[in-house]
């Protein structure tokens, strides 16, 4: 049977666990592959049968690499993102995050992995409406037990970097779409995660603002040494990433994906 | 023709609700709960009123007038004279009293079987030889056929009737049929002579019933001997109804409190039902649904939800009322009148009223969000912040209206300084006014608590607090509902405790004797019995007895209607146990003993505007006579009022030498138990039905009756809190359902299930704490208004205000506990919901 997987040949065996790298800002963590998935499969019930949303997906993202994930609506992009984030479990396959088998970890450990090593950016921003911009950015730091002063310094620095120093005390409903997404980026990067997952980060923004936000995200991720997976419909957005992969009918097709798309 | 767009709208609305059963259930449960409590209290109240009316009708029959006498009733020879006079109107003698058969209390009514036919048209089946049997069989009685069947009795069976004076054997002579439930369940009929014997009232009648044509009254009144009066039969029923009016108003007030709490819950349920669908409404507006159509859709839906919710509330209300009716009738029996009906009478009028209240509250609650949703631009309707932004803007306006209501309440109290209904009106204005201040107070509370929580419990503390203060459209009504319920608890508890403390003090000051000996009561109108003079003399001469007091408590007619008179004779003058309110006449005690001065109790003085130095007319055995009021004394034994006079003066005026109670004061150093044993021994030998009680036992009994009286109030209080707790659960669920996406984000960025549960619990505790703290000032204000205004106006009682710190702490703990209970399910639910599900788009 022909191997249709995007990498042509089976990936090397996955290495885990590597608990000694399980702390943020640990220089050694950067040397470990942030995420490596092999054979990820996910089904959802559809009436009396099951629909296969992901069918044996293999994907590895190296440190400091940005990958664009393209796919039509319903192709399973969000499901893949949820699996990579550990907020959903695969029905089959392996998923190694920073050397640890995320698919085997208990809910509590997966939560801690997300808290320490992942950053999220959503199309709908998903800022906490009851917190100010600065408090939203500081939230992952506080969850990670940063001191009050360290959190304040970090938040101020990020807000300044993302040109949001005037918006720190504003609640999300008082900010423009572009500003909200920049706050979301700041929140995703605040704790220096190894992997940032962005789901249609420019989907709710006009093209100029979207372009600016994407530029900012890519530049900031590169500068911070973070791996980045951007889910998008837009080829223009995808082209700015180091690599593109396409999800179609539950399978990743790469190689000539750019042309095929 | 049906508008096709409307059909589509209704379908969209219906499917949304059926696909979100939680939202649907919350709305229906909120409306159902809110209306259930109101319907329950209203049903209980109306059942008690109906029971009272039926019991009065049972005794009155079809008489238009009654001949009544003084405390000793009417001599039966008056009836014979009246009946034998040529051209005399139809008349019938009546004697009645309360007896016990098995576990149940009945009214035993003696009638003239030959002459009462015209009066007792309500009792069918009195023919067929029954009359003869009633007349010739000693101790023959009749009861309703259904009751006889329930008891398994047949004609000729013997039963034992017990009354305070002892037990008597009676024979069932036959049965009657009646449409009056009071008579069906609680009336025994006997020949007048048998009844007199069974009730220990030989030779005396309670009254003579008459059927008079218009214009005959004066001639009959003129023909009566001195000491007897002619009164319209309705006057008795009206007097009875007035007697319990304040009690019913008190209950109605509790139901209004429940309504207020219920209204908040209904408002909460309806605003959630609308707000949770803002995106849907936004989409409908985008595709061309007009504002009017959207407004009508929301109100139409509210109408249907209101109908279903109120029907659920009716069923719940009837179930709750079944539990309450026993408490209410017991209180009425304790304090006012022996009711023979104690089952719930489900009145269609009350149910219809409950339906209107439920529907009205639902529609009113839906009006504001419906108007807001319909008036907003489509893009705004889809944003939650569009609701909260104007909410923060109207906080100031709400507070202004709240303060305005406080001012109005003060004005109302000043304009109507005696009326009860305006007092309740003012109380409710204060409660509603305070509720309108709640959003502003929450914001202020948030500012105070914010820095502390951010320091102590970051970041969840801030998240929990902001969840409250930045979602006021959702949290303020829920907190206001809990605040009002807990404040009601605080207010009523302080009032009851203050009242209790006042009564305890009053009992300690008033009950100055060590041992009390009292004759059993002998009729349904609670005319006290009489003690044997020989027994009294024997008890008064017992070794160890230093002083005695003799008393007789009877009901007489005053210029203001029936009033209880306590005739007292004391061998030891001392301070006589009276505490006076305001000035007294100079010759108080001399005048009292001379027989031309009486004392009136505070409720009597309040009700009838009587003060020291005023004149008071009482109807004596020789007609109307005037007394001077010597002073107004504090008395908590009766809300109808009491007149105290010197016993010899009473005996002379009413030709009644009888004594119904005797107080014995022991000499210093005497052992109470030893003297009690001597008293009991002598009583048991001559009059076993006479009751002997030590001072402490009488006080304990009085406090027991007091506590029973407020049992219904306590239950209603708990019901209001219960409704508020369920309301808070609903509000929290609604809040959390609405925020599921936000929670999904928090989970995605690393908040653990435990932290999410903690967030919900912390938020709920904060809501409870804020409600508990806010409930304290409102509760204290309510307590002061209840004590200083409402109860004074309703019953004429001045009470001390006793505020115990533990009670206030309990109130805060109650609010916290309620909020904590309310948090458990939402916390469990949120903590176990996978983030992938909560993050998924709808």
């Amino acid at each position: 049977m022909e191997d249709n997987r995007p990498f042509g040949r089976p990936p090397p065996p996955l290495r885990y666990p590597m608990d000694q790298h399980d702390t943020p800002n640990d220089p050694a963590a950067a040397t470990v592959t942030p995420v490596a998935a092999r054979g990820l499969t996910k089904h959802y019930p559809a009436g009396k049968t099951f629909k296969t949303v992901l069918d044996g997906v293999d994907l590895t993202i190296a440190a400091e690499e940005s990958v664009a994930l393209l796919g039509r609506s319903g192709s399973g992009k969000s499901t893949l993102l949820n699996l990579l984030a550990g907020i959903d479990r695969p029905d089959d396959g392996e998923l190694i995050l920073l050397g640890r088998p995320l698919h085997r970890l208990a809910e509590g450990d997966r939560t801690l992995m997300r808290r320490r090593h992942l950053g999220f950016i959503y199309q709908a921003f998903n800022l906490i409406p009851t917190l100010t911009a600065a408090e939203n950015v500081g939230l992952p730091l506080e969850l990670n037990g940063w001191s009050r002063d360290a959190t304040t310094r970090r938040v101020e620095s990020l807000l300044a970097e993302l040109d949001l120093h005037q918006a720190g005390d504003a609640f999300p409903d008082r900010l423009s779409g572009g500003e909200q997404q920049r706050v979301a980026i700041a929140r995703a990067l605040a704790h220096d995660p190894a992997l940032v997952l962005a789901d249609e980060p420019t989907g709710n923004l006009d093209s100029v603002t979207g372009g600016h936000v994407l530029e900012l995200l890519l530049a900031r991720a590169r500068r911070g040494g973070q791996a980045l997976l951007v889910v998008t419909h837009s080829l223009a957005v995808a082209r700015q990433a180091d690599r593109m992969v396409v999800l179609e009918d539950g399978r990743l097709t790469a190689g000539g994906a750019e042309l095929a798309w | 023709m049906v508008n096709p767009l409307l059909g589509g709208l209704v379908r969209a609305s219906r499917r949304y609700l059926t696909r979100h059963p939680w939202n649907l259930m919350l709305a229906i449960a909120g409306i159902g709960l809110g209306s259930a409590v109101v319907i329950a209290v209203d049903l209980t109240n109306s059942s008690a009123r109906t029971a009272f009316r039926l019991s009065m009708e049972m005794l009155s029959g079809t008489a238009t007038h009654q001949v009544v006498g003084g405390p000793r009733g009417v001599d039966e020879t008056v009836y014979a004279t009246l009946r034998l006079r040529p051209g005399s109107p139809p008349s019938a003698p009546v004697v009645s009293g309360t007896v016990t058969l098995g576990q149940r209390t009945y009214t035993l009514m003696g009638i003239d079987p030959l002459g009462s036919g015209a009066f007792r048209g309500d009792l069918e089946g009195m023919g067929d030889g029954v009359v003869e049997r009633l007349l010739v069989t000693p101790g023959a009685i009749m009861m309703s056929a259904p009751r006889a069947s329930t008891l398994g009795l047949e004609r000729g069976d013997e039963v034992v009737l017990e009354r305070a004076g002892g037990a008597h054997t009676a024979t069932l002579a036959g049965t009657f049929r009646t449409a009056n439930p009071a008579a069906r369940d609680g009336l025994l009929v006997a020949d007048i002579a048998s009844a007199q014997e069974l009730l220990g009232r030989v030779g005396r009648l309670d009254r003579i019933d008459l059927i008079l044509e218009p214009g005959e009254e004066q001639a009959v009144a003129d023909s009566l001997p001195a000491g007897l009066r002619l009164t319209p039969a309705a006057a008795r029923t009206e007097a009875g109804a007035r007697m319990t009016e304040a009690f019913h108003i008190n209950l109605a007030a509790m139901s209004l409190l429940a309504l207020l709490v219920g209204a908040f819950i209904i408002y909460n349920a309806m605003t959630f039902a609308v707000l949770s669908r803002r995106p849907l409404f936004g989409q409908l507006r985008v595709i061309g649904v007009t504002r009017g159509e959207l407004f009508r859709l929301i109100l139409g839906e509210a109408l249907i939800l209101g109908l279903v919710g109120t029907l659920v509330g009716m069923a719940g209300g009837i179930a709750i009322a079944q539990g309450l009716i026993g408490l209410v009738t017991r209180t009425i029996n304790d304090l006012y009148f022996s009711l023979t009906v104690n089952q719930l009478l489900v009145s269609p009028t009350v149910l219809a009223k409950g339906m209107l209240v439920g529907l009205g509250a639902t529609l009113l609650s839906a009006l504001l969000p419906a108007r807001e949703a319909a008036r907003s631009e489509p893009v705004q309707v889809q944003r939650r912040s569009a609701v909260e932004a104007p909410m923060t803007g109207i906080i100031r306006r709400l507070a202004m209206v709240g303060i305005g209501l406080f001012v109005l309440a003060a004005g109302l109290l000043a304009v109507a300084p005696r009326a009860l209904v305006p007092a309740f009106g003012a109380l409710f204005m204060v409660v509603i006014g305070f509720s309108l201040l709640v959003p502003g107070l929450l914001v202020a509370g948030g500012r105070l608590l914010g820095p502390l929580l951010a320091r102590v419990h970051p970041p969840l503390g801030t998240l929990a607090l902001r969840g409250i203060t930045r979602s006021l459209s959702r949290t303020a009504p829920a907190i206001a509902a809990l605040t009002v319920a807990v404040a009601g608890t605080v207010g009523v508890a302080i009032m009851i405790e203050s009242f209790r403390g006042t009564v305890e003090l009053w009992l300690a000051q008033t009950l100055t004797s060590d041992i009390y000996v009292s004759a059993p009561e002998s009729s349904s109108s609670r005319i006290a019995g009489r003690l044997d003079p020989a027994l009294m003399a024997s008890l008064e001469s017992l070794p160890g007895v230093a002083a005695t007091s003799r008393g007789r408590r009877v009901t007489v007619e005053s210029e203001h209607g029936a009033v209880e008179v306590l005739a007292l004779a004391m061998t030891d003058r001392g301070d006589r146990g009276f505490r006076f309110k305001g000035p007294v006449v100079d010759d108080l005690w001399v005048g009292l003993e001379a027989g031309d001065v009486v004392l009136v109790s505070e409720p009597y003085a309040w009700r009838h505007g009587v003060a020291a130095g005023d004149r008071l007319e009482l109807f004596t055995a020789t007609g109307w006579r005037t007394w001077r009021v010597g002073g107004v004394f504090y008395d908590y034994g009766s809300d109808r009022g009491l007149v105290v006079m010197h016993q010899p003066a009473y005996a002379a005026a009413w030709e009644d030498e009888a004594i119904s109670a005797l107080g014995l004061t022991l000499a210093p150093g005497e052992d109470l138990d030893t003297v009690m044993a001597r008293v009991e021994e002598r009583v048991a030998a001559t009059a076993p039905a006479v009751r002997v009680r030590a001072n402490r036992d009488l006080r304990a009994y009085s406090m027991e009756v007091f506590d029973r009286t407020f049992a219904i109030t306590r239950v209603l209080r708990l019901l209001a809190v219960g409704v508020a707790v369920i309301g808070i659960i609903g509000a929290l669920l609604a809040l959390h359902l609405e925020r599921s996406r936000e929670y999904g984000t928090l989970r995605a960025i690393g908040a653990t299930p435990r932290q999410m549960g903690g967030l919900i619990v912390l938020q709920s505790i904060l809501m409870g704490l804020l409600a508990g703290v806010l409930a304290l000032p409102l509760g204290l204000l309510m307590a002061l208004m209840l004590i200083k205004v409402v109860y004074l106006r309703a019953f004429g009682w001045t009470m001390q205000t006793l505020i115990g710190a533990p009670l206030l702490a309990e109130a805060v703990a109650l609010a916290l506990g309620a909020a904590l209970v309310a948090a458990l399910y939402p916390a469990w639910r949120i903590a176990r919901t996978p983030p992938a599900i909560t993050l998924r788009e709808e």
Side-chain angles (χ1 to χ4, degrees):
Chain A
M1 191 178 140
E2 192 185 347
D3 188 355
N4 287 329
R5 282 179 290 197
F7 303 105
R9 58 186 169 81
L14 300 170
R15 293 175 297 126
Y16 55 84
M18 297 198 62
D19 288 344
Q20 66 270 32
H21 302 306
D22 195 19
T23 49
N25 303 319
D26 182 346
T31 65
V32 180
T33 304
V35 65
R38 192 176 65 182
L40 285 186
T41 302
K42 184 73 183 173
H43 312 287
Y44 283 121
K48 290 181 179 172
T49 59
F50 284 89
K51 183 188 174 194
T52 302
V53 183
L54 296 178
D55 185 9
V57 170
D58 296 335
L59 176 65
T60 301
I61 305 174
E64 300 181 27
E65 183 187 22
S66 59
V67 176
L69 173 63
L70 288 150
R72 294 190 175 86
S73 291
S75 60
K77 300 189 298 293
S78 294
T79 303
L80 178 58
L81 212 63
N82 283 344
L83 295 184
L84 295 177
I87 57 177
D88 205 353
R89 279 177 187 272
D91 294 321
D92 200 4
E94 291 183 315
L95 176 61
I96 309 303
L97 186 72
L98 292 168
R100 295 191 68 183
L102 198 62
H103 60 289
R104 284 199 207 151
L105 294 183
E107 169 56 31
D109 290 333
R110 281 188 285 139
T111 302
L112 291 182
M113 287 294 281
R114 280 201 301 277
R115 180 188 290 188
R116 291 172 186 163
H117 306 299
L118 293 184
F120 291 90
I121 299 162
Y122 296 93
Q123 178 179 356
F125 321 134
N126 283 13
L127 296 176
I128 306 298
T130 53
L131 297 181
T132 63
E135 288 165 342
N136 262 287
V137 176
L139 191 59
L141 303 177
E142 289 183 311
L143 285 172
N144 277 306
W146 283 42
S147 73
R148 198 180 167 82
D149 288 344
T151 300
T152 307
R153 281 197 301 276
R154 175 76 170 148
V155 169
E156 281 174 358
S157 143
L158 270 169
L159 289 178
E161 191 181 338
L162 293 170
D163 198 20
L164 285 166
H165 44 276
Q166 301 291 332
D169 291 333
F171 284 93
D173 59 2
R174 297 285 170 217
L175 300 176
S176 68
E179 284 173 322
Q180 289 192 54
Q181 198 58 302
R182 277 186 282 150
V183 173
I185 291 171
R187 186 177 71 183
L189 299 172
H191 53 303
D192 282 334
L195 174 65
V196 176
L197 300 169
D199 189 359
E200 300 275 7
T202 59
N204 271 7
L205 305 173
D206 62 74
S207 58
V208 176
T209 313
H212 178 62
V213 162
L214 188 70
E215 255 173 49
L216 198 66
L217 173 61
L218 288 166
R220 186 61 186 72
R222 278 179 192 130
R223 198 160 57 244
Q226 277 114 359
L228 176 66
L229 177 67
V230 181
V231 173
T232 181
H233 278 102
S234 160
L235 261 180
V237 169
R239 281 196 186 107
Q240 296 189 50
D242 298 335
R243 181 158 64 95
M244 274 188 280
V245 288
V246 178
L247 193 60
E248 200 161 12
D249 297 330
R251 293 176 170 228
L252 270 189
T253 54
E258 186 175 352
L259 292 175
W261 187 255
Chain B
M1 192 182 130
V2 178
N3 182 348
L5 182 59
L6 189 66
L9 286 182
V10 170
R11 262 198 308 280
S13 167
R14 195 185 63 220
R15 285 188 189 147
Y16 181 91
L17 289 173
T18 49
R19 284 179 190 175
H20 295 79
W22 270 108
N23 300 7
L24 187 63
M25 269 175 54
L26 279 174
I28 291 174
I31 298 164
L33 270 170
S35 36
V37 178
V38 178
I39 290 171
V41 176
D42 221 6
L43 269 181
T44 312
N45 227 348
S46 81
S47 287
R49 280 177 193 271
T50 309
F52 191 84
R53 182 178 53 77
L54 291 172
S55 298
M56 297 303 280
E57 281 174 10
M58 173 184 87
L59 293 174
S60 306
T62 51
T64 61
H65 289 76
Q66 297 170 340
V67 173
V68 294
R72 299 178 61 221
V74 180
D75 191 310
E76 66 180 8
T77 57
V78 175
Y79 172 63
T81 312
L82 197 69
R83 192 155 176 82
L84 292 172
R85 187 179 300 152
S88 63
S91 58
V94 177
V95 62
S96 65
T98 308
V99 294
T100 306
L101 169 55
Q103 298 296 312
R104 205 181 161 95
T105 301
Y106 294 80
T107 295
L108 173 66
M109 187 164 70
I111 60 169
D112 175 0
L114 295 173
S116 298
F119 293 83
R120 308 307 317 193
D122 55 327
L123 306 180
E124 297 171 35
M126 298 282 281
D128 306 335
V130 174
V131 170
E132 289 76 13
R133 282 195 293 279
L134 275 184
L135 286 170
V136 300
T137 314
I141 58 163
M142 288 176 73
M143 65 174 65
S144 75
R147 179 84 341 224
S149 164
T150 306
L151 294 174
L153 295 174
E154 290 184 358
R155 186 192 295 171
D157 285 352
E158 288 194 345
V159 293
V160 175
L161 301 181
E162 289 178 44
R163 65 174 192 88
H168 299 265
T169 302
T171 307
L172 185 64
T175 57
F176 57 80
R177 292 183 301 280
T178 177
N180 183 333
R184 190 181 57 225
D185 294 340
L187 181 66
L188 304 178
V189 175
D191 167 51
I192 194 88
S194 299
Q196 284 171 326
E197 197 173 325
L198 287 168
L199 296 170
R201 293 180 47 77
V202 174
R204 308 302 298 184
L205 302 175
D206 280 1
R207 63 174 199 270
I208 299 167
D209 282 350
L210 298 171
I211 298 178
L212 298 183
E213 295 298 326
E216 285 184 334
E217 296 93 336
Q218 195 57 49
V220 173
D222 292 345
S223 70
L224 295 176
L228 296 186
R229 286 179 308 116
L230 182 71
T231 64
R236 181 182 151 94
T237 311
E238 281 165 20
R242 271 201 307 275
M243 192 159 86
T244 53
E245 194 54 34
F247 176 73
H248 288 297
I249 288 177
N250 189 27
L251 277 187
M254 293 307 292
S255 98
L256 278 177
L257 179 70
L259 172 67
L260 208 58
V261 175
F264 278 115
I265 288 164
I266 292 176
Y267 174 77
N268 231 10
M270 281 317 299
T271 45
F272 177 66
V274 176
L275 291 181
S276 60
R277 275 177 299 157
R278 288 176 66 79
L280 170 70
F281 295 146
Q283 285 151 20
L284 291 174
R285 292 276 288 115
V286 167
I287 62 165
V289 174
T290 67
R291 288 178 168 160
E293 284 165 341
L294 191 56
F295 185 74
R296 284 195 293 279
L297 172 76
I298 296 172
L299 279 196
E301 192 186 280
L303 186 70
I304 293 167
L305 284 176
L307 267 172
V308 177
T310 312
L311 285 174
V312 171
M314 275 184 187
I318 292 172
I320 297 171
Q322 294 280 10
L324 293 180
I325 187 73
L327 290 173
V328 170
T329 49
R330 197 173 62 180
T331 303
I332 293 178
N333 284 340
D334 275 342
L335 298 184
Y336 303 103
F337 187 86
S338 281
L339 290 180
T340 49
V341 189
N342 58 6
Q343 80 263 38
L344 189 69
L345 304 164
V346 179
S347 145
T349 318
V350 171
L351 291 182
K353 210 169 91 186
M355 172 71 89
L356 275 179
V357 167
L359 274 182
T362 309
L363 286 175
L364 275 176
S365 304
L367 208 58
L368 200 67
R371 185 169 161 269
E372 187 274 330
R375 285 179 63 176
S376 304
E377 294 303 321
V379 68
Q380 273 187 323
V381 181
Q382 300 190 52
R383 282 171 44 204
R384 163 97 194 149
S385 59
V387 189
E388 297 304 338
M391 181 73 197
T392 52
I394 62 171
I395 286 174
R396 187 186 296 267
R397 266 178 287 161
L398 284 177
M400 295 298 286
V401 175
I403 292 166
L405 281 174
F406 275 91
V407 175
L408 259 180
L412 196 59
L413 290 180
V415 171
R418 289 183 64 87
L420 183 57
V421 174
F424 275 121
L427 180 65
F428 281 94
M429 278 182 189
V430 165
V431 174
I432 295 169
F434 194 90
S435 310
L436 296 179
L437 296 179
V438 165
L441 293 171
L442 288 179
V443 172
R447 285 197 187 123
L448 276 175
L449 284 173
L452 181 74
L453 282 168
R455 190 164 288 277
V456 173
H457 202 339
L460 297 185
T462 307
L463 271 172
L465 184 65
R466 294 276 176 75
I468 297 168
T469 55
R470 303 259 324 154
S471 304
L472 289 174
S473 69
R474 162 79 43 249
T475 53
I479 294 176
L482 189 58
T483 301
V484 169
V486 175
T489 299
V490 172
V492 174
I494 290 178
M495 186 272 292
I496 293 177
E497 284 311 306
S498 300
F499 196 5
R500 205 174 192 284
T502 307
V503 168
E504 269 183 326
L505 183 67
W506 167 74
L507 283 173
Q509 289 169 338
T510 311
L511 298 179
T512 49
S513 300
D514 296 304
I515 298 170
Y516 288 89
V517 181
S518 53
E521 289 176 355
S522 66
S523 92
S524 59
S525 53
R526 304 208 162 159
I527 295 170
R530 54 184 60 210
L531 288 171
D532 176 17
L535 174 66
M536 285 193 290
S538 150
L539 296 176
E540 283 167 343
S541 62
L542 273 174
V545 173
T548 63
S549 62
R550 291 176 168 205
R552 175 134 175 92
R553 197 166 178 131
V554 293
T555 302
V556 305
E557 194 65 18
S558 79
E559 60 190 296
H560 306 112
V563 61
E564 277 192 79
V565 166
L566 174 62
L568 274 180
M570 292 183 274
T571 54
D572 175 15
R573 291 181 183 176
D575 66 358
R576 293 171 168 89
F578 290 102
R579 276 177 61 240
F580 291 97
K581 180 182 185 183
V584 295
V585 294
D586 295 337
D587 60 339
L588 179 69
W589 300 117
V590 175
L592 191 73
E593 287 190 8
D596 67 332
V597 165
V598 293
L599 311 175
V600 297
S601 70
E602 188 192 15
Y604 191 87
W606 170 265
R607 274 168 200 259
H608 306 300
V610 178
D614 288 351
R615 305 275 158 180
L616 178 65
E617 285 199 346
L618 299 173
F619 190 76
T620 69
T622 53
W624 289 102
R625 203 188 129 182
T626 305
W627 272 268
R628 205 152 45 91
V629 175
V632 176
F633 65 96
Y634 291 106
D635 177 82
Y636 303 92
S638 161
D639 62 342
R640 282 165 281 166
L642 180 68
V643 174
V644 171
M645 64 172 59
H646 198 42
Q647 190 270 335
Y650 162 80
W654 277 272
E655 296 166 4
D656 180 13
E657 295 288 345
I659 295 296
S660 42
L662 182 68
L664 306 174
T665 307
L666 306 193
E670 286 294 334
D671 179 52
L672 176 67
D673 292 337
T674 311
V675 182
M676 268 290 278
R678 285 181 202 142
V679 172
E680 280 169 346
E681 190 184 326
R682 292 201 182 178
V683 166
T686 55
V690 167
R691 183 176 285 184
V692 180
R693 276 185 288 204
N695 181 311
R696 57 164 187 261
D697 297 334
L698 190 56
R699 277 198 235 177
Y701 172 74
S702 301
M703 294 319 295
E704 194 185 304
V705 172
F706 178 92
D707 290 337
R708 269 214 304 266
T709 308
F710 284 99
I712 175 78
T713 316
R714 289 197 177 91
V715 169
L716 287 176
R717 231 169 79 199
L718 288 179
L719 264 180
V721 173
V723 169
V725 169
I726 297 169
I728 285 274
I729 293 176
L732 277 175
L733 266 178
L735 196 66
H736 301 317
L737 279 173
E738 208 173 54
R739 290 193 177 152
S740 51
R741 201 173 168 75
E742 189 180 322
Y743 295 146
T745 306
L746 282 169
R747 292 279 285 114
I749 64 175
T752 61
R754 194 187 166 92
Q755 282 177 314
M756 294 310 298
L759 172 66
I760 309 297
V761 171
L762 181 60
Q763 190 168 73
S764 197
I765 285 176
L766 281 174
M767 287 172 80
L769 183 71
L770 287 165
V773 170
L774 290 178
L776 294 183
L778 179 60
L780 289 172
L781 200 55
M782 285 175 80
L784 284 176
M785 287 186 76
L786 282 171
I787 292 170
K788 305 284 182 201
V789 182
V790 173
Y791 265 61
L792 180 67
R793 292 184 184 194
F795 303 109
W797 284 318
T798 297
M799 288 186 258
Q800 308 172 62
T801 307
L802 304 171
I803 302 168
L807 199 146
L808 301 182
E810 265 172 40
V812 179
L814 177 70
L816 275 174
L820 200 58
V821 168
L824 295 179
Y825 175 69
W828 173 79
R829 193 166 183 270
I830 298 296
R832 71 185 288 272
T833 309
I837 290 177
T838 47
L839 278 170
R840 197 180 297 155
E841 294 280 357
E842 288 203 31

